[in-house]
């Protein structure tokens, strides 16, 4: 019998550059931890967004396999007295291993003759051993900068607000960051801000999508790429290639919705690098160029908001106003630089 495991760490907005490395740590730690617990599995997968890091394990063994361990005890001569009765050394060894003194045997090692015994370990159920592993995985994640918000030394990239831990439909008693794990997560902060219960580990992604959270980064990236290409075509242009900027935007939103905006054509007279820098570094906007190799920049951009299309015209105007201020600064400093040879 196999099970499916879900573990989610819900937090305040995590910086976009922190999410992917944290997911890598989570996956690596889960694989190593499950191997140490002798729990076999089919796949380990991590997903994440600005407010959550998720771990999913499919085909997980329901319990550990039984195993036999060969344990060496005290020196054979010290294990029995002159009458052949067990000494305190042997009795203490057997008591600690849960075996009968009659079950021990003599083994010859390079150091001499010693007592040995076979200890049988009955495998525990996955539900018994997983809580400690998950708590350890969460508390050991490392970030470039971390915060303290509790009275102890607990640290994380941002304050942790909720935990979800499910083995199929069973809640696992995981405790970390002063929280007890349950089955309730949260939807999109603005589009579906309430609590939502996850009935089963396998329902995780579908449940979140219903409350406007695309938790899979690959799906968010695909959504962004499709939208920016389509929007650039509406102004007869192409998106200025920037895979890193796509990555940044992917981890800035849980429900990305892109839109096209414009700026005063007079700024196109500035060097392309100046415009792209103002768009990219300050606002995380995508530049648009004329079609074809070496196409010149067009007075348009594509931006992303974390939400749906409601109020998008107002969002567009606000972003255009902020970008105009950035381009004004860029133009001023560029013209000032040109006054010197």
């Amino acid at each position: 019998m196999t099970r499916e495991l879900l573990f989610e760490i819900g937090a305040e907005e995590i910086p976009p550059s922190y999410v992917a490395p944290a997911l890598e740590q989570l996956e690596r730690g889960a694989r190593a931890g499950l191997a140490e617990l002798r729990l076999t599995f089919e796949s380990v997968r991590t997903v994440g967004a600005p407010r959550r890091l998720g771990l999913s394990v499919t085909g997980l063994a329901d319990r550990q396999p039984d195993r036999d361990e060969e344990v060496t005890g005290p020196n054979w001569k010290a294990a029995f007295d002159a009458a052949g009765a067990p000494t305190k050394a042997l009795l203490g060894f057997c008591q600690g291993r849960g075996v009968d003194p009659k079950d021990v045997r003599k083994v010859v090692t390079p150091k001499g003759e010693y007592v040995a015994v076979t200890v049988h370990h009955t495998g525990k159920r996955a539900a018994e051993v997983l809580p400690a592993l998950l708590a350890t995985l969460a508390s050991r994640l490392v970030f470039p900068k971390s915060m303290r918000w509790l009275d102890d030394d607990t640290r994380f990239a941002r304050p942790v607000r909720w935990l979800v831990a499910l083995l199929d439909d069973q809640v696992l008693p995981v405790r970390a960051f002063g929280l007890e794990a349950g089955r309730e997560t949260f939807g999109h902060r603005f589009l579906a801000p309430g609590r939502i219960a996850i009935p089963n580990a396998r329902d995780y992604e579908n449940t979140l999508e219903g409350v406007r959270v695309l938790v899979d980064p690959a799906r968010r990236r695909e959504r962004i790429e499709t939208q920016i290409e389509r929007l650039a075509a509406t102004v007869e242009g192409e998106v200025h290639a920037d895979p890193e900027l796509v990555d940044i935007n992917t981890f800035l939103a849980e429900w990305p919705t892109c839109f096209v905006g414009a700026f005063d054509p007079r700024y196109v007279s500035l060097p392309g690098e100046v415009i792209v820098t103002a768009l990219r570094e300050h606002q995380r906007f995508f530049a648009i160029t004329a079609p074809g190799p070496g196409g010149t920049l067009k007075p348009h951009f594509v931006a992303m908001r974390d939400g749906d299309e409601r109020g998008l015209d107002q969002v567009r105007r606000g972003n255009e106003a902020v970008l105009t201020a950035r381009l004004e600064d860029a133009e001023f400093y560029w013209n000032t630089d040109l006054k010197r040879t």
Side-chain angles (χ1 to χ4, degrees):
M1 180 178 179
T2 61
R3 314 289 290 273
E4 184 159 341
L5 171 68
L6 166 67
F7 183 50
E8 181 189 64
I9 305 169
E12 298 293 337
E13 277 77 359
I14 302 171
S17 61
Y18 289 13
V19 179
L23 294 178
E24 292 176 6
Q25 293 180 59
L26 195 57
E27 179 178 348
R28 190 166 58 246
R31 290 181 180 277
L34 291 172
E36 186 174 346
L37 290 175
R38 309 189 322 280
L39 287 173
T40 59
F41 56 88
E42 291 178 5
S43 68
V44 173
R45 179 169 174 260
T46 54
V47 292
R51 298 174 65 209
R52 67 200 76 222
L53 305 175
L55 169 70
S56 176
V57 181
T58 60
L60 181 64
D62 183 56
R63 66 181 307 120
Q64 299 171 320
D66 295 350
R67 68 185 179 96
D68 290 331
E69 180 185 13
E70 300 297 316
V71 182
T72 302
N75 184 280
W76 183 262
K77 292 181 179 179
F80 299 95
D81 60 20
T87 63
K88 290 184 178 180
L90 179 59
L91 292 174
F93 167 74
C94 291
Q95 184 179 5
R97 299 299 185 277
V99 297
D100 192 300
K102 294 183 295 184
D103 295 330
V104 302
R105 63 183 183 279
K106 182 193 298 185
V107 293
V108 179
T109 73
K111 295 183 179 181
E113 298 177 337
Y114 285 83
V115 167
V117 67
T118 300
V119 180
H120 180 75
H121 297 277
T122 302
K124 295 182 179 180
R125 296 183 66 84
E128 295 180 53
V129 297
L130 285 173
L133 169 63
L134 297 177
T136 299
L137 289 177
S139 61
R140 289 185 179 177
L141 292 177
V142 178
F143 301 92
K145 292 183 180 180
S146 57
M147 297 177 61
R148 289 177 54 189
W149 69 98
L150 301 173
D151 292 335
D152 56 24
D153 291 330
T154 299
R155 292 177 179 271
F156 204 74
R158 291 293 184 270
V160 177
R161 299 307 187 196
W162 75 88
L163 296 172
V164 176
L166 293 176
L167 188 62
D168 289 341
D169 60 352
Q170 174 189 356
V171 175
L172 295 177
V174 178
R175 184 164 183 81
F177 310 108
L179 301 169
E180 191 79 32
R183 67 171 69 251
E184 289 188 335
T185 184
F186 285 82
H188 190 278
R189 185 182 289 278
F190 304 111
L191 303 180
R195 291 178 178 270
I196 183 73
I198 302 174
N200 194 296
R202 63 174 176 271
D203 301 322
Y204 178 56
E205 292 190 38
N206 288 337
T207 301
L208 283 180
E209 186 170 356
V211 287
R212 296 298 185 267
V213 175
L214 282 178
V215 72
D216 184 357
R219 292 189 62 195
R220 291 200 307 277
R221 184 185 182 93
E222 181 182 8
R223 178 181 169 96
I224 291 171
E225 290 177 329
T226 299
Q227 291 186 11
I228 61 177
E229 291 173 5
R230 175 178 56 82
L231 290 167
T234 64
V235 292
E236 300 179 349
E238 296 177 347
V239 176
H240 178 71
D242 194 337
E244 184 181 2
L245 186 56
V246 176
D247 287 339
I248 292 171
N249 277 273
T250 295
F251 289 107
L252 276 173
E254 293 189 322
W255 193 260
T257 297
C258 299
F259 59 91
V260 67
F263 56 88
D264 194 321
R266 73 184 178 88
Y267 294 116
V268 176
S269 62
L270 291 169
E273 293 84 353
V274 173
I275 299 175
V276 170
T277 298
L279 290 167
R280 182 188 197 278
E281 301 300 329
H282 296 299
Q283 307 303 129
R284 306 306 191 194
F285 294 169
F286 296 90
I288 298 178
T289 63
T296 58
L297 287 174
K298 298 177 72 70
H300 297 280
F301 64 90
V302 178
M304 182 206 69
R305 61 94 60 95
D306 188 6
D308 57 17
E309 295 185 353
R310 286 176 289 181
L312 206 55
D313 287 338
Q314 184 176 353
V315 174
R316 180 185 296 105
R317 290 193 295 271
N319 279 273
E320 289 175 343
V322 172
L323 178 59
T324 296
R326 296 292 189 186
L327 292 173
E328 284 282 350
D329 289 345
E331 183 181 51
F332 171 78
Y333 286 115
W334 175 253
N335 290 333
T336 299
D337 287 347
L338 292 180
K339 293 178 182 178
R340 297 174 64 89
T341 59

